[in-house]
C-alpha cells in the first residue's frame, strides 16, 4: 500500500476508533494503539517502518507546544518542586531500576546497553498523558504536575540516552561530561524556545492577520525544535518554552479572532497528529516481532512483563517518598504546601503512560547497537502495558479514591470574582467614555450603561450563595441555548431571502454566542 493511501486509511480508522472509544468511555490513545496493532496484521498493509528522527521532528514540536500553550504558568511555577522531582528524579530512578532488572534478565547485554534501555522507557510521555488525562476529571493540581512532568522529563531522559549510546559505541564514558551535557542541553533548549517564542510574538503584532497568525504559530514550535537540535540542545524543551511564551502572551498580542482561530486549528492538528502517531506505534508490532527469531514467545512475554512491572513499581517507590520527605525535612515547605492526601500520590504513581518518545528513541538506535532488537521490543511492551493497563484503569482508580471532579456547574470562587471584576471594569470604561463624549451621545450611552449595570449586578457574588447562583446561571444559559436554536431555525428559513454574506455573518454571530454559552456550561 502506498504511503498516501496508508495515511488516508489511518485517518479514517482513527475517526472510527475515537468514536468507539467515546462510546466505551476508554482513553482514545488505547483504542488507537490497539487499532494500529490490528491493522498491522491486515493483508496488504505491509510493514510500516517509522523513521525515528522524522517522528520526533514531525510529531513532538506541535504537540508539546500546544500542551505548553495551555499550561497555567502560575500553577506550573508553584509546582516546580514536585514537577522536577518527577521529571528528573523519577526518570533517573526508574532508569536505574530498569537497568538492574534488565541486566538480571538478559545478562548478555552490556551494562551501557541496559542503561540505554532504562533511559528509553523511563520518561512518561506528554502526548500519552494528554490523551489519557482528557478522559479523566482530576483535581487541577494533579493535572498540572503530571502535564508539567511530561513536558520536561524527555529532556533528562534523552540526555541519559545519548550519553549511554555514545558510551556503548565509543567503549568509554565520562560522568562529568554527562552532567555538563545535561545542563547545557536543558539551558540551551529553553533559551532557543524562549527566543523563538519572543520573535513569534513580534511577528504576530506586525501581521495582525488571523490566517497568518495561525500559520506562524504552527511554524514556531518546529523552528524552536530544529534550532535547538542544530546546536545539540534539547528540542523538546525548546518546543515547550516556545509554547509557554505564546501561552503567556496570547491575551496581549493576539486578537480575539486569532485566539478563536488558533483554538480550532490547533484542536484539529492535535487530534490528527495524536491519532496518527498512536496508530503508527501499533503498526510497528509485526516488524518488531519479526526480528526476534532467537527468542521464544514465553520468554518474550516474561521479559516484557517484567520490565513493564518494574516501570510501574519503581514509580510508586519514588513518588511516595518524594511527596513526604520534602515536608519532613523543610518547615517552609510544610507551611507553604501542606501534605496532600495519600490518594494524590497513588494517582501520580499510576499515571505514568509511555508513548512516542520511547518508541522513537528505541528505533533510533544504530543497527549495530548490542541487543537492539530486544531493546526495541521491550520499549514497545512498556508503551503497550502502561497505556492499556494504566490508561484504561486510571479513571477507575480516580473514582475509587474519590478524586473525581464534580461534573455539576459550580464555578470556582476565583472565576466568579474575576467575572464580577471584569464586568465592573467594563462598566467603568463605558461611564468614563460617556462623560468624555458629553451630551452628544447621551441616549446611546444611557442604554449601554443600563446593559453593563445589569451585567455587573449579575456577575456580583456579594451576599449570594455560590451554589444557588451556579444553578441559576446554568438555567439561564440553557434557556439561551433554546433561544439560539430558535434563532438559527428562523435564519435557515430566510436562506433565500437575505444576502449570502449577511446570512453567513448572522450565522457566525449565533455560533460564537453558542460557543460562549457551552463553555460557561462546561459542555464538550
Amino acid at each position: 500500500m502506498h504511503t498516501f493511501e496508508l495515511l488516508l486509511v489511518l485517518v479514517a480508522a482513527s475517526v472510527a476508533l475515537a468514536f468507539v472509544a467515546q462510546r466505551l468511555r476508554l482513553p482514545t490513545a488505547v483504542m488507537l494503539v490497539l487499532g494500529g496493532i490490528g491493522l498491522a496484521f491486515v493483508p496488504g498493509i505491509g510493514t510500516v517502518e517509522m523513521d525515528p528522527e522524522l517522528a520526533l521532528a514531525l510529531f513532538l514540536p506541535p504537540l508539546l507546544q500546544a500542551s505548553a500553550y495551555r499550561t497555567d504558568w502560575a500553577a506550573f511555577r508553584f509546582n516546580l518542586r514536585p514537577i522536577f522531582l518527577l521529571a528528573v528524579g523519577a526518570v533517573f530512578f526508574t532508569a536505574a531500576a530498569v537497568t538492574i532488572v534488565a541486566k538480571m534478565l538478559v545478562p548478555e547485554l552490556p551494562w551501557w546497553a541496559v542503561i540505554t534501555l532504562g533511559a528509553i522507557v523511563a520518561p512518561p510521555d506528554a502526548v500519552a498523558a494528554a490523551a489519557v488525562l482528557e478522559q479523566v476529571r482530576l483535581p487541577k493540581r494533579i493535572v498540572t504536575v503530571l502535564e508539567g512532568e511530561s513536558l520536561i522529563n524527555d529532556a533528562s531522559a534523552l540526555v541519559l540516552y545519548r550519553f549511554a549510546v555514545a558510551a556503548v559505541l565509543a567503549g568509554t564514558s565520562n560522568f562529568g561530561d554527562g552532567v555538563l551535557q545535561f545542563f547545557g542541553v536543558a539551558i540551551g533548549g529553553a533559551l532557543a524556545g524562549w527566543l523563538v517564542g519572543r520573535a513569534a510574538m513580534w511577528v504576530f503584532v506586525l501581521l495582525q492577520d488571523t490566517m497568518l497568525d495561525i500559520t506562524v504559530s504552527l511554524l514556531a514550535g518546529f523552528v524552536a525544535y530544529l534550532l535547538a537540535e542544530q546546536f545539540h540542545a534539547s528540542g523538546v524543551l525548546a518546543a515547550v518554552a516556545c509554547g509557554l511564551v505564546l501561552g503567556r502572551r496570547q491575551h496581549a498580542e493576539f486578537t480575539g479572532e486569532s485566539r478563536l482561530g488558533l483554538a480550532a486549528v490547533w484542536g484539529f492538528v492535535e487530534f490528527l497528529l495524536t491519532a496518527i502517531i498512536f496508530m503508527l506505534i501499533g503498526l510497528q508490532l509485526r516488524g518488531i516481532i519479526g526480528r526476534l527469531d532467537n527468542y521464544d514467545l514465553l520468554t518474550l512475554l516474561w521479559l516484557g512483563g517484567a520490565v513493564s512491572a518494574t516501570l510501574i513499581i519503581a514509580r510508586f517507590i519514588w513518588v511516595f517518598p518524594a511527596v513526604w520527605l520534602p515536608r519532613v525535612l523543610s518547615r517552609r515547605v510544610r507551611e507553604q504546601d501542606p501534605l496532600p492526601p495519600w490518594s494524590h500520590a497513588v494517582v501520580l504513581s499510576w499515571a505514568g503512560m509511555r508513548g512516542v518518545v520511547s518508541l522513537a528513541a528505541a528505533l533510533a538506535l544504530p543497527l549495530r547497537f548490542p541487543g537492539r532488537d530486544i531493546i526495541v521490543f521491550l520499549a514497545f511492551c512498556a508503551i503497550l502495558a502502561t497505556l492499556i493497563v494504566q490508561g484504561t484503569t486510571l479513571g477507575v482508580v480516580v473514582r475509587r479514591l474519590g478524586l473525581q471532579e464534580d461534573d455539576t456547574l459550580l464555578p470556582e470562587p476565583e472565576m466568579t470574582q474575576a467575572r464580577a471584576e471584569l464586568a465592573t471594569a467594563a462598566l467603568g470604561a463605558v461611564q468614563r467614555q460617556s462623560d468624555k463624549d458629553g451630551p452628544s451621545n447621551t441616549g446611546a450611552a444611557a442604554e449601554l450603561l443600563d446593559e453593563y449595570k445589569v451585567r455587573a449586578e449579575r456577575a456580583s457574588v456579594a451576599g449570594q450563595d455560590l451554589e444557588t447562583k451556579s444553578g441559576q446561571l446554568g438555567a439561564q444559559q440553557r434557556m439561551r441555548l433554546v433561544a439560539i436554536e430558535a434563532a438559527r431555525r428562523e435564519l435557515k428559513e430566510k436562506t433565500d431571502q437575505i444576502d449570502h454574506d449577511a446570512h453567513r455573518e448572522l450565522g457566525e454571530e449565533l455560533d460564537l454566542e453558542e460557543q460562549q454559552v457551552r463553555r460557561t456550561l462546561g459542555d464538550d
Side-chain angles (χ1 to χ4, degrees):
M1 182 177 288
H2 296 299
T3 302
F4 180 69
E5 294 171 343
L6 176 60
L7 182 62
L8 293 179
V9 169
L10 293 182
V11 173
S14 67
V15 174
L17 291 167
F19 177 78
V20 172
Q22 290 175 356
R23 288 292 180 268
L24 298 179
R25 295 186 176 276
L26 290 174
T28 305
V30 174
M31 290 299 301
L32 292 170
V33 171
L34 294 177
I37 293 174
L39 282 177
F41 294 96
V42 173
I45 293 292
T47 302
V48 179
E49 295 294 337
M50 182 191 300
D51 184 334
E53 294 297 330
L54 177 62
L56 289 175
L58 176 61
F59 293 100
L60 274 189
L63 293 174
L64 289 172
Q65 179 187 344
S67 295
Y69 179 84
R70 293 190 300 268
T71 297
D72 181 344
W73 173 249
F76 181 87
R77 186 174 54 188
F78 178 78
N79 289 288
L80 273 180
R81 176 183 47 79
I83 287 173
F84 273 99
L85 282 173
L86 291 174
V88 180
V91 163
F92 285 104
F93 179 79
T94 304
V98 170
T99 296
I100 295 170
V101 171
K103 183 62 177 176
M104 293 171 59
L105 296 176
V106 193
E108 63 270 19
L109 286 179
W111 271 106
W112 279 112
V114 288
I115 290 174
T116 303
L117 171 62
I120 288 172
V121 299
D125 184 62
V127 180
V132 172
L133 289 176
E134 69 180 7
Q135 308 286 332
V136 183
R137 292 181 62 86
L138 281 169
K140 183 178 179 180
R141 186 174 189 192
I142 296 179
V143 174
T144 300
V145 172
L146 288 173
E147 290 184 343
E149 173 203 6
S150 62
L151 285 174
I152 61 178
N153 61 7
D154 293 329
S156 54
L158 290 177
V159 168
L160 178 60
Y161 165 81
R162 291 170 178 170
F163 184 65
V165 170
V168 170
L169 299 180
T172 183
S173 62
N174 186 300
F175 180 76
D177 291 342
V179 174
L180 290 175
Q181 182 186 17
F182 174 78
F183 286 104
V185 164
I187 295 172
L191 179 60
W194 182 83
L195 290 173
V196 172
R198 295 297 300 179
M201 298 312 299
W202 177 81
V203 173
F204 293 139
V205 175
L206 182 67
L207 294 176
Q208 292 292 309
D209 181 277
T210 299
M211 288 298 102
L212 297 180
D213 284 348
I214 294 172
T215 304
V216 171
S217 73
L218 287 169
L219 288 173
F222 290 108
V223 172
Y225 181 91
L226 295 175
L227 177 65
E229 290 293 321
Q230 186 69 27
F231 290 96
H232 305 289
S234 172
V236 170
L237 282 183
V240 170
C242 181
L244 287 173
V245 171
L246 267 59
R248 290 196 69 194
R249 301 290 300 172
Q250 58 176 302
H251 292 286
E253 311 296 354
F254 291 138
T255 64
E257 185 179 0
S258 291
R259 282 193 297 272
L260 290 172
L262 282 167
V265 172
W266 275 102
F268 166 74
V269 169
E270 281 190 277
F271 170 76
L272 192 62
L273 292 182
T274 301
I276 291 175
I277 193 60
F278 280 114
M279 294 282 284
L280 287 175
I281 286 175
L283 283 169
Q284 304 302 303
L285 178 62
R286 187 167 67 177
I288 291 172
I289 293 179
R291 293 189 290 267
L292 292 169
D293 296 334
N294 53 330
Y295 290 92
D296 62 79
L297 180 60
L298 287 178
T299 301
L300 290 176
L301 292 176
W302 161 244
L303 291 176
V307 169
S308 301
T310 302
L311 284 176
I312 296 172
I313 295 171
R315 187 170 174 89
F316 272 89
I317 294 174
W318 176 268
V319 166
F320 276 86
V323 171
W324 178 67
L325 277 177
R327 293 170 175 84
V328 172
L329 299 176
S330 172
R331 179 180 176 182
R332 185 173 64 86
V333 173
R334 286 197 304 273
E335 293 175 348
Q336 294 181 353
D337 186 13
L339 184 69
W342 64 271
S343 55
H344 286 210
V346 173
V347 172
L348 287 173
S349 301
W350 193 244
M353 290 69 66
R354 272 63 179 177
V356 58
V357 174
S358 294
L359 186 60
L363 293 173
L365 289 173
L367 293 177
R368 61 189 179 92
F369 195 87
R372 181 184 188 276
D373 292 337
I374 190 64
I375 288 175
V376 173
F377 172 76
L378 292 176
F380 183 87
C381 288
I383 297 168
L384 197 61
T386 54
L387 274 177
I388 292 179
V389 175
Q390 294 178 297
T392 57
T393 58
L394 182 59
V396 176
V397 171
V398 170
R399 287 190 292 273
R400 289 290 180 89
L401 294 175
L403 290 176
Q404 181 82 10
E405 289 283 89
D406 190 3
D407 288 329
T408 58
L409 179 70
L410 187 60
E412 296 180 3
E414 294 85 354
M415 179 183 292
T416 306
Q417 181 63 33
R419 185 177 286 118
E421 292 171 356
L422 292 176
T424 302
L427 176 61
V430 173
Q431 182 66 64
R432 288 191 296 273
Q433 186 63 41
S434 173
D435 296 340
K436 180 179 178 181
D437 291 343
S440 59
N441 291 321
T442 302
E447 291 184 8
L448 199 55
L449 281 170
D450 290 340
E451 178 184 339
Y452 275 96
K453 284 177 181 177
V454 171
R455 289 191 187 184
E457 291 171 0
R458 186 184 301 151
S460 176
V461 295
Q464 297 188 44
D465 176 67
L466 185 58
E467 187 169 358
T468 301
K469 182 177 177 60
S470 175
Q472 293 174 349
L473 176 62
Q476 290 173 357
Q477 300 300 337
R478 290 184 176 89
M479 287 181 186
R480 288 182 65 187
L481 287 178
V482 173
I484 292 169
E485 186 58 33
R488 189 175 280 122
R489 287 196 299 268
E490 181 67 20
L491 181 64
K492 182 179 180 181
E493 293 178 0
K494 294 184 177 299
T495 301
D496 299 327
Q497 302 174 26
I498 61 177
D499 179 73
H500 173 74
D501 290 337
H503 188 281
R504 177 177 53 80
E505 289 182 14
L506 289 170
E508 288 178 354
E509 289 176 9
L510 292 174
D511 292 342
L512 288 171
E513 185 178 1
E514 181 183 7
Q515 183 183 36
Q516 181 184 12
V517 172
R518 292 195 179 279
R519 179 170 295 179
T520 303
L521 288 170
D523 291 349
D524 293 332

